[in-house]
């Protein structure tokens, strides 16, 4: 009987917690179909009239497809750079484990702690003649996201036995073969996690493009929503529709891959 | 395989990008923080510690400093408390456990700026859900203008951030909990150890590495808060919710580049001063377990 009461209480806590998370999502969705007056009340009821025009308006005014393309491009290329660079570095850092490599590891860990100096970054991009380019953004994101990725990957790499490296060597595999054919496939779980962390970070980031991208044709989707809200904040229905469009792709990716995110974080963070 | 046989050049791409696009700007920043670099002026001259002297006389810095510390302390403690509690509950046999786990992590994948806009609606003094619910259950006196009342603004931002990040913390704690051998808890239970006893003496020590990761990530992340504050209050009302990055943003938009770089370096010093000792202490505690 007491056990039953405890179970019930636990379920109650969980359901209440889930409601706290889900209600705001529901609020955005339901209000994205409401007219200008009704949406400004932020009510929880269904729309008196379903306005699908809100979504049409967003697509007409927002240059939203260009924003998607920019976000997609930046996220995609950063994923490639971060995964490749971080896993290569993590491999030698963990395997050599000498003084130099421990120093290098510390440097990356410090990068996890230290805040980005954004104004000098703008200056640097200017000096290098790459200010405002996609390339500069990809390099910026790669630099910012390397520390966390190296941290996760070094943690995970400890679980891959060194005997494997020896076996490969005895079989006559060169170092590149060892890395690409044996180590990399074993890292897949963490690489998926890194990929998701990178996609989510780049897709959702406002700070970087706000400072580093001046040309509006290169604006990411998050920068567009910022600009859109500043201009059209009187029509919450349209703003909510914009939010749904921005949130939906990440949410779908998350729902499809959530098992891997959780597994990868589990493997990399705790063993590290 | 011998350690020396792992080729160093494998680390070069990562090191090059990191040195050029992370370390170099930080060092350039140190130089510029000693200059009068201003977007509206033609030349940049070295002015020694003038920026810092001006900065430390500016009450806004004090506000940014105390708010950042209050925010970071509150978020770190509460995020870990909520995250751990959620993880402990989700580690029990709950119906639809995976569904709930997925729901709790969900806010973490949403852009903070979008969450900020949504909570602006939620905190709306007349129509927002928070006040509507409070009025609905007869707690009218508790309804506030959450974001425009200096007493409540920072609190409201903290709550919003907790909503966003607690699920992430939960996942890392859940990871730690999975490594605890079940029979250890069972035998302690048979020996008559209460739930709190088991939590304190078995569970917490065994998830020490999760705690380190969580505390470190939430401490660092919360000291660098920007979007959430910018969208919810933009440092206001007055400067009552000013944090480092909103301060940097406003001096940046006035073109005071040297000055805003100096603010960034004060933040750098603060994060290092708080972060490194905390990391060292947590690591040491882990080893002792």
């Amino acid at each position: 009987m007491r056990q039953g009461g405890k179970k019930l209480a636990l379920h109650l806590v969980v359901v209440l917690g889930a409601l706290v998370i889900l209600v705001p999502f529901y609020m955005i969705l339901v209000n994205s179909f409401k007219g200008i007056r009704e949406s400004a009340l932020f009510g929880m009821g269904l729309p008196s009239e379903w306005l699908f025009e809100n979504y049409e308006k967003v697509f007409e005014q927002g240059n939203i497809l260009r924003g998607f393309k920019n976000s997609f491009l930046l996220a995609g290329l950063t994923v490639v750079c971060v995964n490749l660079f971080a896993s290569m570095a993590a491999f030698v850092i963990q395997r050599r484990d000498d003084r130099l490599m421990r120093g290098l590891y510390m440097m990356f860990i410090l990068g996890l702690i230290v805040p980005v100096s954004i104004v000098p970054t703008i200056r640097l991009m200017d000096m290098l003649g790459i200010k405002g380019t996609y390339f500069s953004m990809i390099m910026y994101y790669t630099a910012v996201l390397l520390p966390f990725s190296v941290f996760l990957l070094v943690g995970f790499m400890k679980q891959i036995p060194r005997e494997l490296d020896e076996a490969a060597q005895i079989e006559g595999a060169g170092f590149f073969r060892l890395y690409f054919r044996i180590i990399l496939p074993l890292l897949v779980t963490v690489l998926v996690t890194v990929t998701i962390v990178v996609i989510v970070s780049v897709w959702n980031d406002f700070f970087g493009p706000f400072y580093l991208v001046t040309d509006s044709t290169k604006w990411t989707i998050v920068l567009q929503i910022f600009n859109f809200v500043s201009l059209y904040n009187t029509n919450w229905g349209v703003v909510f529709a914009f939010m749904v469009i921005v949130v939906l792709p990440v949410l779908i990716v998350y729902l499809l891959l959530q098992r891997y995110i959780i597994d990868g974080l589990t493997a990399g963070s705790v063993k590290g | 395989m011998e350690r020396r046989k792992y080729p160093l050049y494998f680390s070069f791409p990562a090191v090059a990008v990191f040195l050029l696009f992370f370390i170099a700007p930080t060092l350039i920043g140190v130089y510029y923080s000693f200059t009068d670099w201003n977007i509206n002026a033609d030349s940049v001259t070295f002015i020694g510690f003038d920026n810092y002297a001006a900065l430390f006389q500016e009450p806004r810095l004090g506000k940014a400093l105390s708010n950042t510390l209050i925010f970071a302390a509150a978020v770190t403690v509460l995020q870990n408390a909520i995250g751990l509690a959620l993880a402990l509950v989700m580690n029990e046999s709950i119906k639809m456990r995976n569904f709930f786990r997925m729901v709790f992590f969900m806010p973490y994948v949403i852009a903070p700026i979008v969450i900020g806009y949504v909570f602006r609606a939620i905190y709306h003094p007349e129509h927002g859900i928070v006040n509507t619910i409070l009025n609905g259950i007869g707690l009218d006196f508790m309804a506030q203008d959450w974001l425009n009342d200096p007493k409540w603004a920072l609190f409201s931002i903290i709550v919003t951030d907790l909503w966003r990040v607690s699920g992430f913390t939960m996942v890392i704690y859940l990871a730690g909990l999975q490594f605890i051998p079940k029979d250890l808890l069972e035998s302690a239970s048979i020996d008559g150890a209460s739930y709190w006893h088991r939590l304190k003496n078995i569970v917490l020590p065994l998830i020490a590495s999760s705690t380190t990761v969580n505390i470190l990530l939430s401490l660092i992340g919360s000291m660098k808060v920007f979007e959430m504050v910018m969208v919810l209050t933009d440092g206001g009302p007055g400067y009552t919710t000013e944090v480092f990055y909103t301060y940097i943003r406003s001096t940046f938009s006035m073109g005071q580049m040297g000055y805003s770089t100096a603010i960034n370096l004060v933040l750098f010093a603060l994060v290092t001063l708080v972060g490194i000792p905390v990391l060292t202490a947590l690591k040491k505690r882990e080893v002792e377990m």
Side-chain angles (χ1 to χ4, degrees), chain A residues 7 11 14 20 41 88 92 96 101 112-115 120 123-124 165-166 175 204 206 243 254 262 270, chain B residues 1 3 6-8 20 25 32 93 95 100-102 105 109 111 117 127 163 209 224 227 245 271:
Chain A
K7 268 269 131 68
H11 278 92
V14 173
V20 170
L41 298 174
M88 284 166 70
V92 281
R96 280 179 76 108
M101 287 297 123
L112 201 63
I113 299 176
V114 167
R123 183 86 185 106
L124 177 81
D165 305 5
E166 267 146 37
F175 192 74
N204 292 336
F206 171 78
M243 286 179 185
Y254 167 64
I262 294 175
V270 179
Chain B
M1 208 165 138
R3 280 162 203 267
Y6 292 93
L8 274 183
L20 187 58
Y32 278 114
S93 55
K95 279 198 192 94
F100 286 113
R101 251 169 52 155
M102 184 196 82
F105 193 85
V109 302
Y117 287 131
H127 310 305
W163 183 86
S209 68
K224 296 177 188 169
E227 284 108 314
Y245 275 128
V271 178

Short mmCIF file of all heavy atoms in Angstrom, two decimals, chain A residues 7 11 14 20 41 88 92 96 101 112-115 120 123-124 165-166 175 204 206 243 254 262 270, chain B residues 1 3 6-8 20 25 32 93 95 100-102 105 109 111 117 127 163 209 224 227 245 271:
data_model
loop_
_atom_site.label_atom_id
_atom_site.label_comp_id
_atom_site.label_asym_id
_atom_site.label_seq_id
_atom_site.Cartn_x
_atom_site.Cartn_y
_atom_site.Cartn_z
N LYS A 7 4.67 5.31 -5.56
CA LYS A 7 4.64 5.26 -7.03
C LYS A 7 3.75 6.35 -7.60
O LYS A 7 4.12 7.04 -8.55
CB LYS A 7 4.09 3.89 -7.48
CG LYS A 7 5.14 2.84 -7.71
CD LYS A 7 5.63 2.84 -9.16
CE LYS A 7 7.13 2.86 -9.26
NZ LYS A 7 7.72 1.61 -8.78
N HIS A 11 4.81 9.48 -10.04
CA HIS A 11 4.18 9.73 -11.34
C HIS A 11 3.60 11.13 -11.42
O HIS A 11 3.69 11.79 -12.45
CB HIS A 11 3.10 8.68 -11.61
CG HIS A 11 3.65 7.40 -12.16
ND1 HIS A 11 3.99 6.35 -11.34
CD2 HIS A 11 3.96 7.01 -13.42
CE1 HIS A 11 4.47 5.36 -12.09
NE2 HIS A 11 4.47 5.75 -13.35
N VAL A 14 6.38 13.61 -12.05
CA VAL A 14 6.86 13.53 -13.42
C VAL A 14 5.88 14.18 -14.39
O VAL A 14 6.27 14.94 -15.27
CB VAL A 14 7.12 12.06 -13.81
CG1 VAL A 14 7.45 11.94 -15.28
CG2 VAL A 14 8.24 11.49 -12.98
N VAL A 20 5.02 21.39 -17.26
CA VAL A 20 5.76 22.66 -17.21
C VAL A 20 6.58 22.84 -18.50
O VAL A 20 6.71 23.93 -19.03
CB VAL A 20 6.67 22.71 -15.97
CG1 VAL A 20 7.61 23.90 -16.02
CG2 VAL A 20 5.83 22.76 -14.70
N LEU A 41 -3.35 37.78 -26.64
CA LEU A 41 -3.85 37.38 -25.31
C LEU A 41 -3.14 36.15 -24.78
O LEU A 41 -3.32 35.76 -23.63
CB LEU A 41 -5.36 37.11 -25.36
CG LEU A 41 -6.23 38.30 -25.77
CD1 LEU A 41 -7.68 37.87 -25.93
CD2 LEU A 41 -6.12 39.42 -24.73
N MET A 88 40.67 13.50 -34.57
CA MET A 88 42.09 13.29 -34.84
C MET A 88 42.93 13.74 -33.64
O MET A 88 43.83 13.03 -33.18
CB MET A 88 42.52 14.08 -36.09
CG MET A 88 42.06 13.46 -37.39
SD MET A 88 42.21 14.59 -38.81
CE MET A 88 43.98 14.70 -38.97
N VAL A 92 45.42 11.31 -30.78
CA VAL A 92 46.82 11.41 -30.35
C VAL A 92 46.94 11.92 -28.92
O VAL A 92 47.84 11.51 -28.19
CB VAL A 92 47.71 12.29 -31.28
CG1 VAL A 92 48.10 11.49 -32.50
CG2 VAL A 92 47.06 13.57 -31.65
N ARG A 96 49.07 9.26 -26.88
CA ARG A 96 50.44 9.63 -26.53
C ARG A 96 50.54 9.93 -25.04
O ARG A 96 51.47 9.52 -24.37
CB ARG A 96 50.90 10.85 -27.32
CG ARG A 96 51.34 10.53 -28.73
CD ARG A 96 51.76 11.78 -29.46
NE ARG A 96 53.08 12.26 -29.03
CZ ARG A 96 54.17 12.17 -29.78
NH1 ARG A 96 54.11 11.65 -30.97
NH2 ARG A 96 55.32 12.63 -29.32
N MET A 101 51.07 16.53 -24.81
CA MET A 101 49.67 16.26 -25.10
C MET A 101 48.78 16.62 -23.93
O MET A 101 47.66 17.08 -24.10
CB MET A 101 49.48 14.77 -25.45
CG MET A 101 50.03 14.41 -26.80
SD MET A 101 49.17 15.28 -28.13
CE MET A 101 50.53 16.09 -28.93
N LEU A 112 37.11 25.65 -22.90
CA LEU A 112 35.75 25.35 -22.43
C LEU A 112 35.33 26.39 -21.39
O LEU A 112 34.16 26.71 -21.25
CB LEU A 112 35.77 23.95 -21.80
CG LEU A 112 34.50 23.15 -21.65
CD1 LEU A 112 33.91 22.83 -22.99
CD2 LEU A 112 34.80 21.86 -20.90
N ILE A 113 36.32 26.89 -20.66
CA ILE A 113 36.05 27.80 -19.55
C ILE A 113 36.03 29.26 -20.01
O ILE A 113 35.12 30.01 -19.69
CB ILE A 113 37.10 27.59 -18.44
CG1 ILE A 113 37.02 26.16 -17.92
CG2 ILE A 113 36.92 28.60 -17.31
CD1 ILE A 113 38.06 25.81 -16.89
N VAL A 114 37.06 29.63 -20.76
CA VAL A 114 37.26 31.03 -21.15
C VAL A 114 36.16 31.54 -22.08
O VAL A 114 35.79 30.85 -23.01
CB VAL A 114 38.64 31.16 -21.84
CG1 VAL A 114 38.80 32.48 -22.54
CG2 VAL A 114 39.75 30.94 -20.83
N PRO A 115 35.65 32.74 -21.82
CA PRO A 115 34.65 33.30 -22.72
C PRO A 115 35.29 33.82 -24.02
O PRO A 115 36.43 34.26 -24.02
CB PRO A 115 34.06 34.46 -21.93
CG PRO A 115 35.05 34.79 -20.88
CD PRO A 115 35.89 33.58 -20.64
N PRO A 120 37.58 41.52 -30.45
CA PRO A 120 38.84 41.22 -31.14
C PRO A 120 38.69 40.18 -32.26
O PRO A 120 39.44 40.21 -33.22
CB PRO A 120 39.73 40.67 -30.03
CG PRO A 120 39.15 41.20 -28.78
CD PRO A 120 37.68 41.31 -29.02
N ARG A 123 37.89 41.99 -35.29
CA ARG A 123 39.11 42.65 -35.76
C ARG A 123 40.00 41.65 -36.50
O ARG A 123 40.53 41.95 -37.57
CB ARG A 123 39.83 43.23 -34.54
CG ARG A 123 41.07 44.00 -34.85
CD ARG A 123 40.77 45.46 -35.17
NE ARG A 123 41.99 46.15 -35.58
CZ ARG A 123 42.26 46.49 -36.83
NH1 ARG A 123 41.40 46.24 -37.78
NH2 ARG A 123 43.39 47.10 -37.12
N LEU A 124 40.16 40.48 -35.91
CA LEU A 124 41.01 39.45 -36.51
C LEU A 124 40.48 39.04 -37.89
O LEU A 124 41.24 38.95 -38.87
CB LEU A 124 41.08 38.22 -35.60
CG LEU A 124 41.88 37.06 -36.16
CD1 LEU A 124 43.37 37.28 -35.96
CD2 LEU A 124 41.46 35.74 -35.54
N ASP A 165 45.14 -1.12 -31.58
CA ASP A 165 46.13 -0.39 -32.37
C ASP A 165 47.28 -1.34 -32.72
O ASP A 165 47.76 -1.38 -33.85
CB ASP A 165 46.71 0.79 -31.59
CG ASP A 165 45.62 1.73 -31.09
OD1 ASP A 165 44.44 1.41 -31.28
OD2 ASP A 165 45.97 2.78 -30.52
N GLU A 166 47.71 -2.11 -31.69
CA GLU A 166 48.82 -3.04 -31.91
C GLU A 166 48.46 -4.10 -32.94
O GLU A 166 49.23 -4.39 -33.85
CB GLU A 166 49.19 -3.71 -30.59
CG GLU A 166 50.30 -2.97 -29.86
CD GLU A 166 50.15 -3.03 -28.36
OE1 GLU A 166 49.73 -4.08 -27.83
OE2 GLU A 166 50.45 -2.00 -27.71
N PHE A 175 49.20 4.18 -40.18
CA PHE A 175 48.50 4.97 -39.18
C PHE A 175 47.16 5.52 -39.67
O PHE A 175 46.17 5.50 -38.95
CB PHE A 175 49.40 6.11 -38.70
CG PHE A 175 48.87 6.77 -37.49
CD1 PHE A 175 48.95 6.13 -36.26
CD2 PHE A 175 48.23 7.99 -37.56
CE1 PHE A 175 48.42 6.71 -35.13
CE2 PHE A 175 47.71 8.58 -36.43
CZ PHE A 175 47.81 7.93 -35.22
N ASN A 204 21.11 27.32 -33.23
CA ASN A 204 20.46 28.17 -32.24
C ASN A 204 21.25 29.40 -31.86
O ASN A 204 20.78 30.24 -31.11
CB ASN A 204 20.19 27.37 -30.96
CG ASN A 204 19.15 26.30 -31.17
OD1 ASN A 204 18.32 26.41 -32.07
ND2 ASN A 204 19.19 25.28 -30.36
N PHE A 206 22.92 32.91 -31.51
CA PHE A 206 22.61 34.27 -31.91
C PHE A 206 23.84 35.14 -31.79
O PHE A 206 24.11 36.00 -32.63
CB PHE A 206 21.51 34.80 -30.99
CG PHE A 206 21.24 36.26 -31.15
CD1 PHE A 206 20.49 36.72 -32.21
CD2 PHE A 206 21.75 37.17 -30.24
CE1 PHE A 206 20.25 38.08 -32.37
CE2 PHE A 206 21.52 38.52 -30.39
CZ PHE A 206 20.77 38.97 -31.45
N MET A 243 8.31 31.23 -35.04
CA MET A 243 8.97 30.39 -34.04
C MET A 243 8.77 28.91 -34.35
O MET A 243 9.70 28.12 -34.25
CB MET A 243 8.42 30.67 -32.65
CG MET A 243 8.89 31.97 -32.08
SD MET A 243 8.12 32.18 -30.48
CE MET A 243 8.68 33.81 -30.08
N TYR A 254 15.98 16.21 -33.25
CA TYR A 254 16.11 15.73 -31.88
C TYR A 254 15.27 14.48 -31.63
O TYR A 254 15.76 13.49 -31.09
CB TYR A 254 15.73 16.84 -30.90
CG TYR A 254 15.56 16.34 -29.48
CD1 TYR A 254 16.64 15.80 -28.79
CD2 TYR A 254 14.33 16.37 -28.85
CE1 TYR A 254 16.50 15.31 -27.50
CE2 TYR A 254 14.17 15.88 -27.57
CZ TYR A 254 15.25 15.35 -26.91
OH TYR A 254 15.09 14.86 -25.65
N ILE A 262 21.54 10.95 -25.92
CA ILE A 262 21.60 10.56 -24.52
C ILE A 262 22.69 9.50 -24.31
O ILE A 262 23.49 9.61 -23.40
CB ILE A 262 20.20 10.16 -24.04
CG1 ILE A 262 19.31 11.42 -24.07
CG2 ILE A 262 20.23 9.55 -22.66
CD1 ILE A 262 17.87 11.23 -23.75
N VAL A 270 30.81 10.82 -18.63
CA VAL A 270 31.04 10.22 -17.32
C VAL A 270 32.38 9.51 -17.23
O VAL A 270 33.05 9.53 -16.21
CB VAL A 270 29.89 9.28 -16.96
CG1 VAL A 270 30.12 8.63 -15.62
CG2 VAL A 270 28.61 10.06 -16.92
N MET B 1 51.20 -0.50 -29.19
CA MET B 1 51.89 0.49 -30.03
C MET B 1 52.58 1.52 -29.14
O MET B 1 52.01 1.98 -28.16
CB MET B 1 50.85 1.19 -30.92
CG MET B 1 51.39 1.68 -32.21
SD MET B 1 50.01 2.07 -33.31
CE MET B 1 50.58 3.59 -34.00
N ARG B 3 53.93 4.87 -27.60
CA ARG B 3 53.31 6.18 -27.53
C ARG B 3 53.83 7.15 -28.59
O ARG B 3 53.09 7.90 -29.20
CB ARG B 3 53.55 6.81 -26.16
CG ARG B 3 52.62 6.26 -25.11
CD ARG B 3 53.13 6.56 -23.72
NE ARG B 3 52.55 5.58 -22.80
CZ ARG B 3 51.41 5.81 -22.14
NH1 ARG B 3 50.81 6.95 -22.26
NH2 ARG B 3 50.92 4.89 -21.35
N TYR B 6 52.47 7.56 -32.31
CA TYR B 6 51.26 8.29 -32.72
C TYR B 6 51.69 9.66 -33.21
O TYR B 6 52.24 10.45 -32.45
CB TYR B 6 50.29 8.42 -31.55
CG TYR B 6 49.70 7.10 -31.12
CD1 TYR B 6 50.30 6.34 -30.12
CD2 TYR B 6 48.56 6.61 -31.74
CE1 TYR B 6 49.78 5.12 -29.75
CE2 TYR B 6 48.03 5.38 -31.37
CZ TYR B 6 48.64 4.64 -30.38
OH TYR B 6 48.11 3.44 -30.01
N PRO B 7 51.45 9.95 -34.49
CA PRO B 7 52.03 11.17 -35.06
C PRO B 7 51.40 12.46 -34.53
O PRO B 7 50.17 12.58 -34.49
CB PRO B 7 51.76 11.02 -36.56
CG PRO B 7 50.60 10.11 -36.65
CD PRO B 7 50.68 9.20 -35.47
N LEU B 8 52.27 13.38 -34.16
CA LEU B 8 51.81 14.67 -33.64
C LEU B 8 50.94 15.43 -34.62
O LEU B 8 50.01 16.12 -34.22
CB LEU B 8 53.04 15.53 -33.34
CG LEU B 8 53.70 15.35 -31.98
CD1 LEU B 8 54.86 16.34 -31.87
CD2 LEU B 8 52.68 15.62 -30.88
N LEU B 20 44.38 30.04 -33.86
CA LEU B 20 44.12 31.22 -34.68
C LEU B 20 42.80 31.89 -34.34
O LEU B 20 42.73 33.12 -34.24
CB LEU B 20 44.15 30.81 -36.17
CG LEU B 20 44.05 31.98 -37.16
CD1 LEU B 20 45.17 32.98 -36.94
CD2 LEU B 20 44.09 31.46 -38.59
N PRO B 25 42.50 35.85 -30.88
CA PRO B 25 41.63 36.98 -30.52
C PRO B 25 41.71 37.34 -29.04
O PRO B 25 41.65 38.53 -28.69
CB PRO B 25 40.22 36.50 -30.87
CG PRO B 25 40.39 35.37 -31.79
CD PRO B 25 41.73 34.77 -31.52
N TYR B 32 44.12 45.37 -27.12
CA TYR B 32 43.13 46.42 -27.38
C TYR B 32 42.48 46.96 -26.11
O TYR B 32 42.01 48.09 -26.09
CB TYR B 32 42.06 45.93 -28.35
CG TYR B 32 42.50 46.03 -29.79
CD1 TYR B 32 42.70 44.90 -30.57
CD2 TYR B 32 42.75 47.28 -30.35
CE1 TYR B 32 43.13 45.00 -31.87
CE2 TYR B 32 43.18 47.39 -31.66
CZ TYR B 32 43.37 46.25 -32.41
OH TYR B 32 43.80 46.36 -33.71
N SER B 93 11.29 2.86 -11.71
CA SER B 93 10.50 2.33 -12.82
C SER B 93 9.22 3.15 -12.96
O SER B 93 8.24 2.95 -12.25
CB SER B 93 10.17 0.86 -12.58
OG SER B 93 9.54 0.71 -11.33
N LYS B 95 6.25 4.69 -15.57
CA LYS B 95 5.62 4.38 -16.86
C LYS B 95 6.05 5.41 -17.90
O LYS B 95 6.19 6.58 -17.60
CB LYS B 95 4.10 4.43 -16.71
CG LYS B 95 3.55 3.16 -16.11
CD LYS B 95 2.04 3.05 -16.37
CE LYS B 95 1.45 1.94 -15.53
NZ LYS B 95 0.89 2.42 -14.25
N PHE B 100 9.23 10.62 -21.05
CA PHE B 100 9.44 11.75 -20.14
C PHE B 100 10.88 12.27 -20.21
O PHE B 100 11.11 13.47 -20.18
CB PHE B 100 9.08 11.37 -18.70
CG PHE B 100 7.61 11.28 -18.47
CD1 PHE B 100 7.00 10.07 -18.18
CD2 PHE B 100 6.82 12.41 -18.57
CE1 PHE B 100 5.62 10.00 -17.99
CE2 PHE B 100 5.45 12.35 -18.38
CZ PHE B 100 4.85 11.14 -18.08
N ARG B 101 11.82 11.34 -20.33
CA ARG B 101 13.22 11.75 -20.48
C ARG B 101 13.38 12.64 -21.70
O ARG B 101 14.03 13.68 -21.67
CB ARG B 101 14.09 10.50 -20.68
CG ARG B 101 14.95 10.20 -19.50
CD ARG B 101 15.61 8.87 -19.56
NE ARG B 101 16.36 8.59 -20.78
CZ ARG B 101 17.37 7.72 -20.82
NH1 ARG B 101 17.77 7.12 -19.74
NH2 ARG B 101 17.98 7.46 -21.94
N MET B 102 12.74 12.24 -22.78
CA MET B 102 12.80 12.99 -24.03
C MET B 102 12.17 14.38 -23.85
O MET B 102 12.72 15.38 -24.31
CB MET B 102 12.03 12.19 -25.09
CG MET B 102 12.05 12.74 -26.45
SD MET B 102 10.73 11.92 -27.39
CE MET B 102 9.33 12.86 -26.88
N PHE B 105 14.43 16.86 -21.78
CA PHE B 105 15.62 17.35 -22.49
C PHE B 105 15.26 18.33 -23.60
O PHE B 105 16.10 19.11 -24.04
CB PHE B 105 16.39 16.15 -23.07
CG PHE B 105 17.78 16.48 -23.55
CD1 PHE B 105 18.85 16.49 -22.67
CD2 PHE B 105 18.03 16.78 -24.89
CE1 PHE B 105 20.14 16.79 -23.10
CE2 PHE B 105 19.31 17.08 -25.33
CZ PHE B 105 20.36 17.08 -24.43
N VAL B 109 17.25 21.87 -26.89
CA VAL B 109 17.55 21.96 -28.32
C VAL B 109 16.90 23.19 -28.98
O VAL B 109 17.01 23.39 -30.18
CB VAL B 109 17.17 20.68 -29.10
CG1 VAL B 109 17.89 19.47 -28.53
CG2 VAL B 109 15.67 20.44 -29.10
N ALA B 111 16.48 27.31 -29.53
CA ALA B 111 17.31 28.51 -29.44
C ALA B 111 16.93 29.34 -28.21
O ALA B 111 15.76 29.64 -28.01
CB ALA B 111 17.15 29.36 -30.70
N TYR B 117 11.72 34.90 -26.14
CA TYR B 117 10.49 35.51 -26.65
C TYR B 117 9.26 34.81 -26.09
O TYR B 117 8.27 35.45 -25.73
CB TYR B 117 10.45 35.44 -28.19
CG TYR B 117 11.41 36.39 -28.86
CD1 TYR B 117 12.27 35.96 -29.86
CD2 TYR B 117 11.45 37.74 -28.49
CE1 TYR B 117 13.15 36.85 -30.48
CE2 TYR B 117 12.33 38.62 -29.10
CZ TYR B 117 13.18 38.16 -30.09
OH TYR B 117 14.05 39.02 -30.69
N HIS B 127 -1.79 39.14 -19.65
CA HIS B 127 -2.29 37.95 -20.33
C HIS B 127 -1.40 36.72 -20.15
O HIS B 127 -1.80 35.63 -20.55
CB HIS B 127 -2.43 38.24 -21.82
CG HIS B 127 -3.18 39.49 -22.11
ND1 HIS B 127 -4.45 39.72 -21.63
CD2 HIS B 127 -2.84 40.60 -22.81
CE1 HIS B 127 -4.86 40.91 -22.03
NE2 HIS B 127 -3.89 41.47 -22.74
N TRP B 163 14.38 26.36 -16.70
CA TRP B 163 13.45 25.63 -17.56
C TRP B 163 14.20 25.06 -18.76
O TRP B 163 13.98 23.94 -19.19
CB TRP B 163 12.35 26.60 -18.03
CG TRP B 163 11.29 25.97 -18.87
CD1 TRP B 163 10.17 25.34 -18.42
CD2 TRP B 163 11.22 25.92 -20.30
NE1 TRP B 163 9.42 24.90 -19.49
CE2 TRP B 163 10.03 25.25 -20.65
CE3 TRP B 163 12.04 26.40 -21.33
CZ2 TRP B 163 9.65 25.02 -21.97
CZ3 TRP B 163 11.66 26.17 -22.64
CH2 TRP B 163 10.48 25.49 -22.96
N SER B 209 31.72 11.94 -10.73
CA SER B 209 32.23 12.51 -11.98
C SER B 209 31.12 13.21 -12.77
O SER B 209 31.36 14.21 -13.44
CB SER B 209 32.95 11.46 -12.82
OG SER B 209 32.03 10.52 -13.29
N LYS B 224 28.33 33.03 -18.76
CA LYS B 224 28.40 33.60 -20.11
C LYS B 224 27.00 33.91 -20.65
O LYS B 224 26.83 34.06 -21.86
CB LYS B 224 29.09 32.61 -21.04
CG LYS B 224 30.55 32.34 -20.68
CD LYS B 224 31.11 31.31 -21.63
CE LYS B 224 32.48 30.85 -21.21
NZ LYS B 224 32.92 29.67 -21.97
N GLU B 227 21.90 35.79 -24.53
CA GLU B 227 20.64 35.89 -25.28
C GLU B 227 19.42 35.98 -24.37
O GLU B 227 18.52 36.78 -24.61
CB GLU B 227 20.47 34.67 -26.21
CG GLU B 227 21.31 34.72 -27.45
CD GLU B 227 22.44 33.72 -27.39
OE1 GLU B 227 23.10 33.65 -26.32
OE2 GLU B 227 22.66 33.01 -28.39
N TYR B 245 27.69 40.34 -20.75
CA TYR B 245 27.51 40.41 -22.20
C TYR B 245 26.49 41.47 -22.63
O TYR B 245 26.59 41.99 -23.74
CB TYR B 245 27.17 39.03 -22.77
CG TYR B 245 28.40 38.19 -23.05
CD1 TYR B 245 28.53 36.90 -22.56
CD2 TYR B 245 29.46 38.71 -23.80
CE1 TYR B 245 29.67 36.14 -22.81
CE2 TYR B 245 30.60 37.97 -24.06
CZ TYR B 245 30.70 36.68 -23.55
OH TYR B 245 31.83 35.95 -23.81
N VAL B 271 35.58 34.38 -14.74
CA VAL B 271 35.29 32.98 -15.03
C VAL B 271 36.47 32.10 -14.61
O VAL B 271 36.29 31.03 -14.02
CB VAL B 271 34.96 32.77 -16.54
CG1 VAL B 271 34.72 31.31 -16.84
CG2 VAL B 271 33.75 33.59 -16.94
#
